[in-house]
Amino acid sequence: MSTARCDCKQLEKELDAFHRGDLSDDQTEALRRHLAECRHCACIERHEQAFLERLRTMGKTGCCPEALKARVLKQCAEEARET
Ligand SMILES: [Zn+2]
């Protein structure tokens, strides 16, 4: 299955902008469509959402968001492989 408009790598790149509301309507639509079809990316989106929530509640506690995010992505990759 190949959707040229929004593949997994592209989605990972655009997810930040998506959560900030920076994507155009077309981009948001393509991203949502991909999320609906791709378990891997839906999982990432779900974890990112929770991750962002956690960041908001933690505030600036000196935790490293990049490390946390890397862990989230790794966790999703493993989850997708198992199921
Ligand atoms: Zn995907």
Side-chain angles (χ1 to χ4, degrees):
M1 196 166 70
S2 62
T3 44
R5 289 197 59 191
C6 182
D7 60 29
C8 296
K9 281 270 167 264
Q10 192 185 341
L11 185 135
E12 273 180 36
K13 263 188 291 183
E14 288 182 348
L15 208 51
D16 281 342
F18 173 68
H19 283 133
R20 283 196 307 265
D22 285 351
L23 291 183
S24 70
D25 288 350
D26 276 1
Q27 286 173 311
T28 302
E29 171 67 22
L31 191 145
R32 280 191 196 285
R33 208 176 311 145
H34 184 89
L35 282 179
E37 290 169 357
C38 181
R39 290 187 61 172
H40 175 69
C41 291
C43 173
I44 290 177
E45 209 280 325
R46 214 169 55 230
H47 280 88
E48 279 236 352
Q49 203 73 259
F51 163 72
L52 289 172
E53 278 300 313
R54 186 124 43 107
L55 273 192
R56 261 194 292 268
T57 52
M58 281 192 313
K60 295 181 172 66
T61 54
C63 154
C64 175
E66 283 307 317
L68 199 59
K69 185 169 174 178
R71 221 167 62 199
V72 164
L73 291 175
K74 187 163 173 284
Q75 190 182 336
C76 283
E78 280 164 12
E79 229 173 88
R81 210 177 319 138
E82 279 167 18
T83 48

